[in-house]
Amino acid sequence: RIPPGLDDKILASWNALTITGLVNSYQATGNEEYLNLALKTAEFLENNMISGEVIYRSYKNNHVSGQGYLEDYSTVIQAFIALYEATQNQHWIIKADQLTEFVLNEFFDKDEGLFYFTAHTSEELISRSKEIFDNVIPSGNSIMASNLLKLGVSLDKEKYRSISENMLKLMTGLVKKEPSYLSNWAILHHLTANPLAEIIVIGPDASSYINEIRTHYLPNSVIMGSKVESTLGLLDHKTAINGQTTIYVCYNKTCRLPVHSVKEALDQLK
């Protein structure tokens, strides 16, 4: 018999969601296999499905097709942010920032303050829709709102934070009426309901310190780290005091006294 057709194309968005899940699993368990698989998948996407700032939606038989939708860009950016948090490799957050600038230029409706599902340069449709409801996969807009908040804080970009905050304000009424269909927006509301802690780790043991911090559930936080001094976002002007790995706990760029142990940092977070 003729075998049934096989849908074996590779989708950017679904693989990006898998990367984020693998990173979350690695951070919860410390299983290096999860992180290695996430990195391998991200490298495949970057080498085969991303050209500059353009993401292609699908890949099959060594060919890409279809310019990515907001769903593809938002999930890939989310995955790259997660990889940076897990590895402290600045390549991933810089790439996430570049893709975010592209999304703002190509998908953003400045009048309404939300993102279109398709890019300005995509095939012209009768009507360009905006996806806001979270279903089996969270909406591109809710993921981008979260991405903008994290990048805005981490990279000290007020424009990103402002757009994220305005998006959240637009959705507040709907979240109250239809929480079941806007769960990702509700999570973002939760993240902004309390002060967001900025945790910066600088020094030779930055990775192990961050892994230890990650074993604690700290949803209202962003973490940046580096073994050496850096001018990237929150890392700017932070140093390893006396050559020791140093942790800075800050709120809105106002920092507590620097400490040298995870326990001391956790006490400050309380």
Side-chain angles (χ1 to χ4, degrees):
R1 295 181 179 179
I2 298 173
L6 177 65
D7 184 357
D8 58 354
K9 64 180 178 290
I10 294 169
L11 295 176
S13 61
W14 288 15
N15 276 274
L17 287 168
T18 304
I19 291 169
T20 302
L22 286 166
V23 171
N24 290 341
S25 298
Y26 162 71
Q27 291 173 334
T29 66
N31 189 332
E32 294 281 347
E33 289 185 18
Y34 296 144
L35 180 60
N36 292 336
L37 184 53
L39 287 167
K40 184 178 179 180
T41 306
E43 287 163 4
F44 177 89
L45 290 180
E46 189 171 22
N47 294 332
N48 296 280
M49 300 184 70
I50 302 175
S51 177
E53 282 78 49
V54 175
I55 297 176
Y56 293 96
R57 180 159 178 77
S58 66
Y59 175 96
K60 182 176 180 179
N61 297 331
N62 295 319
H63 293 288
V64 292
S65 63
Q67 184 174 339
Y69 300 129
L70 179 64
E71 172 185 293
D72 300 292
Y73 283 89
S74 61
T75 52
V76 169
I77 292 167
Q78 179 187 52
F80 286 0
I81 293 171
L83 280 173
Y84 168 74
E85 292 175 344
T87 65
Q88 294 82 61
N89 183 342
Q90 294 185 10
H91 167 78
W92 296 115
I93 197 169
I94 290 170
K95 190 65 182 179
D97 183 39
Q98 292 170 347
L99 291 171
T100 298
E101 289 288 355
F102 182 85
V103 171
L104 287 170
N105 290 330
E106 284 292 322
F107 291 85
F108 193 52
D109 180 355
K110 295 179 181 178
D111 294 329
E112 189 176 2
L114 294 169
F115 293 92
Y116 289 108
F117 188 69
T118 56
H120 298 322
T121 53
S122 296
E123 180 183 355
E124 190 171 339
L125 304 174
I126 296 173
S127 176
R128 291 177 69 192
S129 62
K130 295 188 182 80
E131 182 190 42
I132 59 172
F133 289 99
D134 300 315
N135 294 298
V136 177
I137 295 175
S139 72
N141 268 287
S142 67
I143 297 174
M144 274 309 302
S146 179
N147 292 341
L148 286 164
L149 175 64
K150 288 185 176 181
L151 287 174
V153 173
S154 300
L155 300 179
D156 194 17
K157 291 197 171 187
E158 185 56 38
K159 177 178 75 170
Y160 288 1
R161 293 188 65 170
S162 177
I163 293 172
S164 176
E165 289 167 3
N166 288 335
M167 292 174 73
L168 203 52
K169 287 176 183 176
L170 289 172
M171 300 302 299
T172 299
L174 269 177
V175 171
K176 292 178 180 178
K177 292 178 182 177
E178 300 288 350
S180 298
Y181 301 101
L182 296 150
S183 54
N184 209 43
W185 291 103
I187 290 171
L188 185 57
H189 265 291
H190 172 70
L191 291 178
T192 58
N194 296 297
L196 194 67
E198 302 151 6
I199 306 170
I200 303 100
V201 186
I202 302 288
D205 297 320
S207 295
S208 60
Y209 275 42
I210 288 174
N211 287 341
E212 186 178 346
I213 291 170
R214 283 288 181 194
T215 62
H216 300 267
Y217 184 57
L218 302 169
N220 285 75
S221 66
V222 295
I223 300 177
M224 293 191 75
S226 177
K227 292 182 179 180
V228 297
E229 293 182 24
S230 171
T231 58
L232 184 69
L234 294 176
L235 297 173
D236 195 21
H237 296 112
K238 303 296 190 301
T239 61
I241 299 173
N242 297 326
Q244 290 182 274
T245 301
T246 306
I247 307 174
Y248 297 82
V249 174
C250 314
Y251 290 91
N252 197 23
K253 295 183 285 186
T254 300
C255 300
R256 310 277 176 89
L257 288 173
V259 295
H260 298 290
S261 72
V262 172
K263 182 183 182 304
E264 290 174 300
L266 292 173
D267 288 341
Q268 289 184 342
L269 288 164
K270 291 177 184 177

